[in-house]
Amino acid sequence: MSTVLFDPRSERYKTPFGAVPCGTAVTFCFRPDTAAVRRVVLVTHCEFSDRWTETELSAAAEGENTVFRGVYSASDTPELVWYHFRLFWADGGESCYGAGGHQSRDSVTPWQLTVYDGSRKTPGWFARGVTYQIFPDRFFRAKKRSAAGLVGSRTLHESWDEPVEYRPDAHGEITCSDFFGGDLAGITQKLDYLVSLGVTALYLNPIFEASTNHRYDTANYKNIDPLLGTEEDFKTLCAEAKSRGIRVILDGVFNHTGAKSIYFNADGFYPTPGAAQGKGSPYYDWYRFHSFPDDYDSWWGIKNLPAVEESNESYVNYMVNDRDSVVRRWLRLGASGWRLDVADELPDEFIAAIRAAMDEERPDSLLIGEVWEDGSNKIAYSRRRKYLLGSETHALMNYPFRTAALSYLRGGDAADFQSAMETLRENYPPSAFYSAMNFLSTHDTPRLLTVLGLSGKAPETRDERASFRLSPAEYARGVERVKLAAVLLYTFPGAPTLYYGDEAGMEGFEDPFNRATYPWGRENRALVRWFARLGALRRQHAALQCGTIRYLHAGGSVLAFLRQSADDRCLTVLNAGDTPVTLSFPWDGELATDTLTSQQFLPQNGALRLTLGARDGLLLV
């Protein structure tokens, strides 16, 4: 007799799988391993309404065993439901059974059931395609411009290939004020290159007027930064991208502005009064001053990034509600979506207002949130968040995927990767899971090649990290791992997102070393071809775009999963280890072809026997 009493991920115990739309009837089956259990009650707690319910499960014979079944009706409004079972024993005793097994009532660990608004749909274009993230100043420069007369004290590098500046200035501050001049016209010129990679969406780090090269210190939300070009350049980029089947997603930095912005105007650069000039400014109430003018709320205490009051009516109207609001304006000018910077620090009500404006302005637009954890149960500032319940974001950046994937690729157990990803699949609404922004490096993380190639500890000082390059042996091993990582990224459910230059073999530790200029003419061309091949395969196979996932093996160095749609299936098999492995998998086709090498395998007795070399992978169709 099975020792599994309840498994929320198995249809023998719970249907349907995972998160459910409001009002869904959810069937539970508890399977005791002893006849001494006489009654079973399903105990549920709806967190947002603070409502507890108890559902008596009915006993039924199943062979020689007794099981307990019952139906729980999910609420008509979005909820986060926590549940466990209460067992009543033949000797009159009671106990609880939860995710931690048999426990007392006071210490039981519940399972999670996400109840979401199924009427709010997610655009399908993002999940089906490939996204390319660009740090605009560092991608490609089409035109040389001058930094004279612009907000901030900016400097321009003469050569595209110079190293990034990372050292503090004479006052001990890291100003991020060195620019290379990458621009929107440069991105437009490289659209055909992006098409060759299979790219269908561009995620651009901030493009609005700002004093720093990262532009997260917005100076004017309604102006393109002059070093990037003009509003016409933006419209041209969107139009040319659209003609090639590519959409543009903008970075929305709505939790804070720049201190040197037209709204705060700390240095008096702008002729109109900002909050720093006092209560006469229309923007004064956007900020929270403790002692005017120098003591105010700021993002993580960084005074160059004064935090805004997202509940302020004037601010919400300017950003969201007005006809010419920031959110609406750039959608009308060609953007297809927004990525919300530090979504943890934006109130649910503010995010919901953005979503409502986007649905009204452009119903096929997409809203993505930057959340570093499981976004279905995230607590931020002592509040349980509601990102994925229907009225806020369509999807989130999938940092848990990155964490689990890199751990596996660097020698971890594939079973841990499966467990982490199945937790997300169970907790997220299906549309959110399949539209998750999957990535392996970004502007906020070390470069993929550096992470996977490094054999020892990272250098301790910034000077050492600035000049560090992988040894030839580390580079070769890193490239092998990057290729394997790319297969996982492009074949796993979600939207694969490639950080500019990872396909070219760029190296670098944390910011700003991960933000160097794209090495045009010095790319690792074999790696570029590998990513282009994967982009083409994703475009060709419906199973990779929207197919279900079923794990065939997850243990040690080997991960194998099947993606299947109505008339297409793809089997990914990865060996992240340093030694070859041989395995067998069921296969009911006549022949299996590895799309990465064109090698063919003949099944015998309904099974494929495969041998994978060290750090090797197959994609079988």
Side-chain angles (χ1 to χ4, degrees):
M1 182 168 58
S2 173
T3 58
V4 178
L5 310 188
F6 179 76
D7 180 359
R9 298 174 185 170
S10 169
E11 292 187 352
R12 294 188 72 226
Y13 302 88
K14 174 183 172 290
T15 56
F17 174 87
V20 298
C22 294
T24 300
V26 185
T27 300
F28 289 88
C29 181
F30 189 84
R31 300 172 178 275
D33 57 356
T34 172
V37 176
R38 298 300 174 86
R39 292 175 56 213
V40 176
V41 171
L42 172 69
V43 181
T44 58
H45 177 221
C46 295
E47 180 171 340
F48 299 130
S49 61
D50 195 24
R51 180 168 58 91
W52 291 83
T53 61
E54 295 189 359
T55 303
E56 183 90 20
L57 304 187
S58 300
E62 189 175 86
E64 298 180 356
N65 303 319
T66 298
V67 300
F68 294 83
R69 290 192 178 90
V71 175
Y72 170 76
S73 295
S75 63
D76 293 331
T77 56
E79 265 291 0
L80 199 60
V81 181
W82 303 99
Y83 67 93
H84 66 275
F85 300 93
R86 184 175 301 160
L87 311 183
F88 295 83
W89 299 83
D91 62 3
E94 296 181 23
S95 68
C96 289
Y97 191 86
H102 289 284
Q103 297 172 296
S104 68
R105 182 182 299 189
D106 295 334
S107 62
V108 64
T109 303
W111 287 281
Q112 175 182 327
L113 174 64
T114 305
V115 180
Y116 62 95
D117 183 352
S119 68
R120 305 290 293 271
K121 302 304 180 184
T122 296
W125 55 265
F126 183 68
R128 292 192 299 267
V130 174
T131 300
Y132 192 86
Q133 180 189 350
I134 291 178
F135 195 82
D137 184 59
R138 310 292 163 82
F139 185 61
F140 187 68
R141 181 176 62 202
K143 178 181 178 181
K144 281 197 173 184
R145 295 178 171 87
S146 171
L150 303 182
V151 62
S153 301
R154 311 196 206 186
T155 60
L156 275 170
H157 289 265
E158 286 296 322
S159 169
W160 183 254
D161 298 325
E162 289 177 11
V164 297
E165 184 57 68
Y166 66 93
R167 292 161 295 193
D169 64 12
H171 303 289
E173 297 181 5
I174 297 176
T175 61
C176 303
S177 59
D178 66 314
F179 289 75
F180 287 83
D183 52 21
L184 298 183
I187 299 173
T188 302
Q189 287 189 24
K190 294 297 183 181
L191 285 174
D192 289 339
Y193 166 70
L194 299 176
V195 169
S196 74
L197 293 176
V199 170
T200 57
L202 291 180
Y203 156 43
L204 305 181
N205 288 113
I207 63 172
F208 305 124
E209 186 174 339
S211 69
T212 64
N213 53 45
H214 54 70
R215 297 187 172 95
Y216 281 94
D217 60 325
T218 313
N220 192 329
Y221 289 98
K222 295 191 176 182
N223 286 351
I224 299 294
D225 190 272
L227 284 182
L228 288 175
T230 65
E231 187 174 298
E232 285 302 313
D233 290 330
F234 174 75
K235 291 164 66 176
T236 298
L237 169 60
C238 291
E240 290 294 324
K242 181 180 179 181
S243 72
R244 293 166 171 81
I246 298 176
R247 298 176 186 247
V248 175
I249 299 170
L250 298 180
D251 213 333
V253 188
F254 302 142
N255 165 261
H256 50 267
T257 69
K260 299 175 183 177
S261 67
I262 194 172
Y263 317 104
F264 201 85
N265 207 15
D267 61 354
F269 174 82
Y270 293 94
T272 54
Q277 278 73 56
K279 295 184 178 180
S281 168
Y283 312 116
Y284 180 84
D285 291 335
W286 287 14
Y287 305 91
R288 181 180 297 171
F289 288 94
H290 302 291
S291 177
F292 182 83
D294 299 323
D295 187 9
Y296 48 85
D297 284 351
S298 59
W299 185 73
W300 284 30
I302 300 173
K303 288 302 182 180
N304 189 45
L305 302 175
V308 297
E309 295 281 354
E310 296 94 343
S311 59
N312 178 272
E313 183 179 2
S314 169
Y315 181 76
V316 176
N317 289 338
Y318 183 90
M319 289 293 177
V320 184
N321 292 334
D322 287 349
R323 173 60 183 160
D324 194 40
S325 70
V326 171
V327 167
R328 295 173 185 269
R329 168 182 169 81
W330 295 104
L331 290 177
R332 287 201 301 274
L333 290 174
S336 293
W338 288 95
R339 174 261 193 190
L340 296 180
D341 182 56
V342 293
D344 290 353
E345 304 191 35
L346 299 173
D348 285 303
E349 298 79 8
F350 184 72
I351 298 176
I354 293 174
R355 171 70 179 275
M358 292 175 64
D359 287 347
E360 180 182 303
E361 195 68 45
R362 186 167 179 174
D364 68 338
S365 60
L366 185 81
L367 185 60
I368 302 169
E370 180 197 10
V371 177
W372 287 54
E373 303 86 7
D374 181 336
S376 70
N377 52 38
K378 167 77 176 181
I379 295 177
Y381 296 94
S382 302
R383 290 186 63 182
R384 185 80 70 178
R385 305 308 300 270
K386 302 179 180 180
Y387 308 116
L388 299 177
L389 297 185
S391 64
E392 298 185 25
T393 59
H394 294 100
L396 301 175
M397 296 183 71
N398 201 348
Y399 275 93
F401 170 82
R402 175 183 183 271
T403 300
L406 293 183
S407 176
Y408 161 62
L409 292 163
R410 297 176 68 189
D413 193 333
D416 294 334
F417 174 85
Q418 178 189 4
S419 177
M421 293 302 96
E422 284 295 270
T423 296
L424 288 190
R425 190 167 74 95
E426 182 182 5
N427 290 350
Y428 281 25
S431 61
F433 179 76
Y434 283 92
S435 295
M437 179 185 270
N438 295 346
F439 57 88
L440 293 168
S441 58
T442 75
H443 64 293
D444 284 330
T445 71
R447 285 275 179 185
L448 177 62
L449 180 57
T450 297
V451 172
L452 294 182
L454 190 66
S455 59
K457 291 184 178 181
E460 293 185 3
T461 70
R462 285 171 66 82
D463 286 338
E464 291 172 322
R465 293 198 293 275
S467 60
F468 178 86
R469 293 295 180 270
L470 298 171
S471 69
E474 288 178 321
Y475 186 89
R477 184 181 62 176
V479 167
E480 288 183 337
R481 284 178 165 178
V482 166
K483 292 173 69 175
L484 199 65
V487 176
L488 176 58
L489 177 67
Y490 278 66
T491 63
F492 196 77
T497 301
L498 177 60
Y499 184 44
Y500 83 100
D502 274 357
E503 80 279 13
M506 288 181 67
E507 301 180 41
F509 287 103
E510 78 286 354
D511 162 27
F513 311 119
N514 56 0
R515 303 176 182 181
T517 54
Y518 188 101
W520 298 107
R522 296 179 287 107
E523 306 95 327
N524 182 322
R525 297 190 181 279
L527 205 52
V528 171
R529 289 193 295 272
W530 183 261
F531 277 91
R533 176 65 176 152
L534 289 169
L537 289 171
R538 186 172 177 90
R539 183 171 60 248
Q540 295 165 10
H541 289 279
L544 298 182
Q545 297 175 26
C546 57
T548 58
I549 183 170
R550 180 164 62 92
Y551 292 87
L552 302 186
H553 187 96
S557 66
V558 178
L559 177 66
F561 54 86
L562 185 70
R563 300 289 309 280
Q564 190 157 355
S565 62
D567 55 1
D568 187 29
R569 66 174 177 172
C570 298
L571 174 61
T572 298
V573 187
L574 306 176
N575 173 27
D578 295 329
T579 57
V581 294
T582 299
L583 305 99
S584 293
F585 296 100
W587 192 263
D588 57 11
E590 294 183 359
L591 199 66
T593 300
D594 175 24
T595 60
L596 301 175
T597 63
S598 299
Q599 184 179 3
Q600 294 185 319
F601 302 88
L602 183 66
Q604 294 183 350
N605 301 319
L608 287 173
R609 185 173 175 82
L610 306 172
T611 297
L612 283 81
R615 300 179 292 279
D616 193 13
L618 303 171
L619 178 56
L620 302 174
V621 298

